[in-house]
Structure formats: structure tokens, C-alpha cells
Amino acid sequence: MPTVAQSTETTDWVSRFADEVIEESERRASGKATSDATAPVVVVASGLSPSGPIHLGNLREVMTPHLVADEIRRRGHQVRHLISWDDYDRYRKVPAGISGVDESWAEHIGKPLTSVPAPKGSAYPNWAEHFKAAMVESLAELGVEFDGISQTEQYTSGVYREQILHAMRHRGDIDAILDQYRTKKAPAKKQQQKAVDEAELEAAEGSGAAAEDDGSSGSAGYFPYKPYCGNCEKDLTTVTAYDDDSTELTYTCTVCAFSETVRLEEFNRGKLVWKVDWPMRWAYEGVVFEPSGVDHSSPGSSFQVGGQIVGIFGGQQPIGPMYAFVGISGMAKMSSSRGGVPTPADALRIMEPQILRWLYARRRPNQSFKIAFDQEIQRLYDEWDKLAAKVADGSALPGDVAAYTRAVGTAAGELPRTARPLPYRTLASVADITAGHQDQALRILSELDPADPLGALDEARPRYDKAEAWINTHVPADQRTIVRAEPDTELLKSLDDASRQSLALLLDGLAEHWSLDGLTHLVYGVPKVQAGFSADATPKELPPEIKTAQRTFFALLYHLLVGRDTGPRLPTLLLAVGQDRVRTLLGQ
Ligand SMILES: [Zn+2]
């Protein structure tokens, strides 16, 4: 049995929501006449639509309840984190830039996502399963424990039969609630009809009309349920008659003109419209916490309307904070194989799961933040390593400790971590310079700290692999480091005496200072010694001109080693190039 990690009952946002959710869960349980004296299972939920690659931005939909669920678990409560796969939703449009997909997929618009073929070459049986699989894999890597619920399975096996019949019986009440919001937009009857027409037009075009989410009224009245056509499988159907006693429902398809009469008490090929479906599931599952994106916060939004409709199903609205947008930095440089929008898997290729968890844990849901795919990732890692050191020596602030604790593990235990977490920027530089030569990379990395050398590259993994992937996929070619094959004889010949002397000082100390710390001391020390100071002199003991002299010296070294003004940090670069080659390139 895994050891249960300690609860972090400090006052961070996660902890505060956990308090609220436990309290609400117990309040609801006490209201029920039950002989069960045990604590209720707390239910939190997320919803994801596998309508295409599930973007990194959507990860907040999962991470917010995950962190809260995890805190509740750490306190010893039982929690179910449901992820509803909205895979019975209609296929709205063909996303751009998906390999193995061409314009012929447009013919499937209007079908359930599980009835659309997967991209060519996929190992999965359909569109939804294909995109769900990538997300499931990322969630496992992130340590997110969840119960996945396929809405296709739920609907097509008749799990929601009673709820559907109930909604149909109460369609007048539902219509009245929805109408409060409709009238704000379309006061005149004519305009209302126009809105419906536009919704149908948009639906036909597959652009995802908002109005279709609450169902529409035909001549037979309002119905919160839409069958998928028995002939063409599309949802552009109109219910033309319904009988509450026999549950006989007649619909016609606007695409293929197919029409049939079915008995809803035994029919499993349709679904409640979104604005009714969501609150129905809150009631069915007893959801106590489910956040949603800012796009759900407007008046008449599905969360707000759902709060009124949920009562029809005898349930209550969950605690539902709105979460802010998560941005990405460094997108311009990204390969745009997926229309330039990265997925959680893309982030996990360049950063460890702990870092990604930390980004979500340390910001309140209403704060937006960016996930770095550019140079910023190196600074982020520096910050993370500093925090880890502070946590280890006990000097970190309680809020920071909480975020760190939530990042490195869950109630089930710690996530696998890199045994020797060498600085990311050093690993990135080494991967940059060695360009895939692992023996070289190991040599350099073991020279960083000769007192405690790295025994195998695996000790620096997976962090090394992430840094290498970042260099290879997100650093533009013109910023990559290419060590000169031959010395720059022109430049060497043109050097003045002071420059020659600086190179000589460096080369003299090279063997003796061959470690990361030693070389750092040496490269900063050379200009000091040249100016008549000790190599150990602190900035306070030195005139400001030393800084200029250091910059000039560094630029000279970069030119001679890599033919540019800048590059990776010099000590790392020198170690990477190796002593013999450094001597050759510096003219010895
Ligand atoms: Zn049809």
C-alpha cells in the first residue's frame, strides 16, 4: 500500500476549495434520509470534448478539480474525479492541420464524434478514441487519477433513460427557463424564428452555433432531446411529434429526409441538448465541484442556466469557479503541425510533469498564466530548482511549500523524479552542443562536478531528455550552437596584445579549473587579473570597467569558439567543447 502523502492544510486556493467542497458534500449527505453513517464520497468533475487534439489550454479543466480532489484525498476522504468524455457530441468541423485527415471528413459533420473515422493510420477505432488516447496518456504521466465516462456509452446503453423521459415530461418547464434568456436576445417572434434559422444554418455549416445547445422549437413545440438520424447518423433532425404516455417520438431528418417513429423508452440513439445534458449529469452523478472556462460565465451561459435546470432533475448546482485562460509563450517558433496549438503531450516532451503541475498549482484558477515553450522555460526551471532547495532547507514560505508539494506528488505518492536534477539550462546547452552524441554529453556532464561525477546519463533523465527535446524542437536553427571546426585564423592574427594575454591566462588555468565551478571562477577572473586585481576580488572591490572588460573577453571567446557574439554559458560551453579543442580554437 502506498504511503499517503501528508496533507498540506495551509491556506492556498486548493486547500480553501477543499474545505468548501467537503463541507458542501457533507451538507448534502446530511439532507438525505440514509442509514449510512460513513462519510460521503466526494464527487468532482471535468468535461472534455475529443473533437480534435485536446489543447494544453483545456488542461485547466482537469487540473483544477484534480488538485482539489487530491487535497481531499490527502485528508483521508474518498473522492471520485469524473472526466466526462463528451464523445457523443456532434462532429462540428474538420480541424485544420491534422495529419491523416482531408476535406472528405466534412461529410461526417453532424454525426457523433464516436461515429467519425479516426485519422488515417490511427490505431484507434474512431475520431473520439484517437484524440482521447493522447490525453489519457498525458494524464497518467501527470499523476491524475480519474474515472473516465464515455457519454457515447452512457447514452447508447440507455443509462440516462429515466432522465431523458423526465426531461421530455418537463419540457415545458425547461423551455420556460431557457426562454428567460432567449427573450433578452430576440424579443420579437419573427426574430426568434430567424435565430433558429441561423442556428440551423450554422449547424449545417458545422461552425458550432451556440443556439443549438438548448434545443429548438418546431411546430410540435419545444424538445430538449435530439435523435441522431437512423439513416445518415446526423443530428440535423426535427422532432415532429411526441406522446408522453406511449413515449412515441417521430422525427424527420433535414439532411436525408428520413423519418421514423420510435419509442423513447427503448430508443438509445440520441441525446439531451447540451444545456440540459450538463445539469442532468450534475444531478445523476451528484457533482459537488466542477469548474468551467470563462466562456461559460456570460448571462445565459450553460453553467448559469444549468443552475436552474438542475432542480428539475432533483439535483444541485456544483461549486463552479470560472478559470482564466492559459496562454503559451514561444508559439511562433513552434512547428505548426497542429495549427500551432500545443497539447499537454507537447508540454510533457519538454518539461517534467512536476513543473507542469506546479504551474497550475501555484496560480489561483482566476489568474491567467503562460506556459513557456521559449527561452523562458530555462528561467522557470531555475525558479523551480531554487524553490526545491528552499523547501529542502526549510526556508520556503507555506504557500510555496503547498504548491511544491502538490507538484511533486499526489495522495498516492511521489511522481517519478530525476535522480540528479542538473540545471535545465546546462542540460539544454550540453544537448545543443553535442547534437545527439550521448557519450559526449555524459563526458561533459560528469566533468561538471568532478567531486561527484555523473555515473550514467540515466541519472540525469528524464530531465535531460526534456531539455534535449526542447533544444531540438523549439530553438530556431539560427540560435543553435555550432562549435567551429577550425580555428578562426584571421581573427587570431588580428588580436592585440591585451587580447592575446587574456587568452593565455585562460589557457594556463584551464586544466586546473576543469569543472563547472572552476571554469566559472576562471572566466570571470581573467579580466580581473589582467587589470591587476586578485581573481577572487568581489564586485565591491573592483572598478565598474571590469564589467566591460569581462563582456569584451566573453565576446572574444564566443567568436573564437562558436563564431557568434553569444552562446550558452561559457563554463558549460568550454566543458562541452573539451580541453584539446578549446586549446586549438584559441590558437595554442
Ligand atoms: Zn438523415
Side-chain angles (χ1 to χ4, degrees):
M1 207 180 139
T3 36
V4 172
Q6 247 193 332
S7 150
T8 51
E9 288 189 58
T10 48
T11 51
D12 69 340
W13 68 267
V14 181
S15 207
R16 286 193 296 273
F17 273 125
D19 292 341
E20 224 182 296
V21 170
I22 291 169
E23 195 184 334
E24 173 64 10
S25 199
E26 286 171 351
R27 190 188 64 75
R28 289 188 188 186
S30 69
K32 281 181 197 156
T34 170
S35 57
D36 190 358
T38 57
V41 176
V42 180
V43 181
V44 306
S46 306
L48 291 174
S49 175
S51 57
I54 299 174
H55 300 149
L56 189 48
N58 296 117
L59 190 55
R60 206 165 204 178
E61 171 74 27
V62 177
M63 288 309 290
T64 308
H66 163 69
L67 291 164
V68 172
D70 184 58
E71 171 60 23
I72 295 171
R73 247 176 232 132
R74 286 174 197 252
R75 296 187 194 178
H77 295 261
Q78 277 191 284
V79 190
R80 276 183 84 203
H81 178 184
L82 309 176
I83 293 185
S84 171
W85 299 106
D86 293 325
D87 55 11
Y88 205 45
D89 284 5
R90 74 193 308 268
Y91 186 54
R92 289 168 186 274
K93 61 175 176 182
V94 186
I98 312 277
S99 65
V101 174
D102 55 42
E103 54 297 344
S104 71
W105 260 258
E107 73 187 58
H108 303 292
I109 287 170
K111 293 182 188 174
L113 291 166
T114 39
S115 296
V116 177
K120 279 180 205 126
S122 169
Y124 296 92
N126 60 59
W127 185 272
E129 291 301 323
H130 176 82
F131 292 106
K132 203 196 279 187
M135 188 66 173
V136 167
E137 203 177 303
S138 294
L139 292 176
E141 202 177 330
L142 284 163
V144 174
E145 191 184 311
F146 66 93
D147 272 357
I149 297 181
S150 158
Q151 293 305 329
T152 300
E153 282 176 27
Q154 299 287 92
Y155 272 106
T156 60
S157 64
V159 166
Y160 300 138
R161 167 127 35 247
E162 285 309 315
Q163 284 72 20
I164 292 167
L165 295 174
H166 186 81
M168 288 297 267
R169 271 194 300 277
H170 293 86
R171 59 188 179 275
D173 301 332
I174 292 170
D175 193 29
I177 292 170
L178 293 169
D179 206 41
Q180 296 165 11
Y181 300 95
R182 289 193 199 113
T183 48
K184 280 180 192 162
K185 270 188 184 168
K189 223 182 178 151
K190 220 173 184 180
Q191 240 177 313
Q192 201 169 337
Q193 186 53 48
K194 186 172 168 260
V196 171
D197 291 345
E198 275 172 358
E200 279 172 0
L201 185 68
E202 279 190 52
E205 286 172 349
S207 61
E212 74 181 297
D213 289 348
D214 61 9
S216 58
S217 309
S219 53
Y222 170 81
F223 297 103
Y225 179 86
K226 237 178 202 255
Y228 279 108
C229 173
N231 180 49
C232 73
E233 276 195 275
K234 298 187 177 186
D235 74 338
L236 296 171
T237 54
T238 308
V239 175
T240 55
Y242 182 68
D243 181 71
D244 282 294
D245 296 328
S246 66
T247 79
E248 276 188 357
L249 177 148
T250 306
Y251 71 86
T252 56
C253 176
T254 59
V255 177
C256 69
F258 178 80
S259 178
E260 67 175 332
T261 299
V262 298
R263 270 159 51 94
L264 202 50
E265 65 183 3
E266 58 190 26
F267 179 77
N268 293 332
R269 204 188 53 243
K271 74 186 286 290
L272 292 170
V273 295
W274 167 245
K275 280 184 178 171
V276 181
D277 180 42
W278 198 18
M280 180 277 286
R281 290 191 271 117
W282 292 340
Y284 182 82
E285 305 286 2
V287 178
V288 180
F289 183 78
E290 181 168 2
S292 52
V294 282
D295 49 326
H296 289 286
S297 71
S298 56
S301 71
S302 37
F303 187 80
Q304 193 189 5
V305 177
Q308 287 181 260
I309 293 178
V310 70
I312 291 174
F313 294 99
Q316 294 173 65
Q317 189 174 35
I319 296 165
M322 301 298 162
Y323 54 81
F325 183 68
V326 175
I328 311 296
S329 66
M331 279 311 300
K333 293 161 196 157
M334 255 198 86
S335 78
S336 55
S337 60
R338 285 177 211 83
V341 186
T343 63
D346 290 322
L348 289 169
R349 267 190 277 280
I350 62 163
M351 64 182 80
E352 294 161 275
Q354 288 89 342
I355 308 293
L356 197 50
R357 289 178 62 90
W358 180 53
L359 292 173
Y360 287 90
R362 68 180 182 153
R363 297 276 181 256
R364 292 192 308 277
N366 62 359
Q367 290 177 297
S368 58
F369 64 88
K370 281 187 174 179
I371 295 176
F373 280 75
D374 55 8
Q375 301 286 336
E376 175 68 12
I377 192 172
Q378 303 188 81
R379 201 205 52 73
L380 183 74
Y381 253 101
D382 288 345
E383 198 186 336
W384 169 255
D385 287 344
K386 255 179 223 156
L387 173 60
K390 279 185 175 179
V391 170
D393 72 18
S395 66
L397 298 168
D400 294 339
V401 175
Y404 180 83
T405 308
R406 302 189 194 292
V408 297
T410 67
E414 282 219 354
L415 266 65
R417 59 164 88 192
T418 301
R420 286 284 297 270
L422 297 170
Y424 187 91
R425 61 171 78 241
T426 304
L427 296 175
S429 296
V430 170
D432 181 18
I433 298 159
T434 56
H437 296 280
Q438 303 209 350
D439 47 338
Q440 270 189 53
L442 176 60
R443 174 188 61 76
I444 300 161
L445 292 173
S446 45
E447 284 171 349
L448 291 178
D449 183 4
D452 183 15
L454 194 71
L457 206 49
D458 279 351
E459 294 173 20
R461 288 190 159 116
R463 194 185 278 199
Y464 178 76
D465 299 324
K466 311 284 181 190
E468 186 178 39
W470 177 69
I471 279 287
N472 289 334
T473 54
H474 297 283
V475 178
D478 64 359
Q479 287 174 31
R480 293 290 304 265
T481 305
I482 299 160
V483 178
R484 293 188 63 94
E486 298 293 332
D488 187 342
T489 45
E490 290 291 305
L491 179 56
L492 285 166
K493 265 188 224 160
S494 72
L495 294 179
D496 59 18
D497 287 346
S499 298
R500 282 174 207 280
Q501 193 200 10
S502 66
L503 292 181
L505 282 169
L506 180 84
L507 291 167
D508 282 351
L510 211 55
E512 189 191 334
H513 292 87
W514 198 252
S515 70
L516 196 61
D517 288 346
L519 290 170
T520 305
H521 187 261
L522 181 64
V523 296
Y524 282 91
V526 164
K528 298 183 202 171
V529 172
Q530 256 194 308
F533 296 91
S534 155
D536 296 317
T538 61
K540 277 182 191 164
E541 300 163 346
L542 297 163
E545 303 89 76
I546 290 293
K547 279 225 150 95
T548 315
Q550 284 170 338
R551 268 199 295 275
T552 311
F553 178 53
F554 296 169
L556 173 62
L557 292 176
Y558 281 124
H559 270 285
L560 290 168
L561 296 170
V562 298
R564 295 200 297 138
D565 285 341
T566 58
R569 289 184 173 179
L570 275 169
T572 314
L573 179 61
L574 292 166
L575 284 174
V577 175
Q579 279 195 54
D580 291 346
R581 202 153 161 212
V582 168
R583 289 182 196 283
T584 309
L585 294 176
L586 300 190
Q588 193 171 56

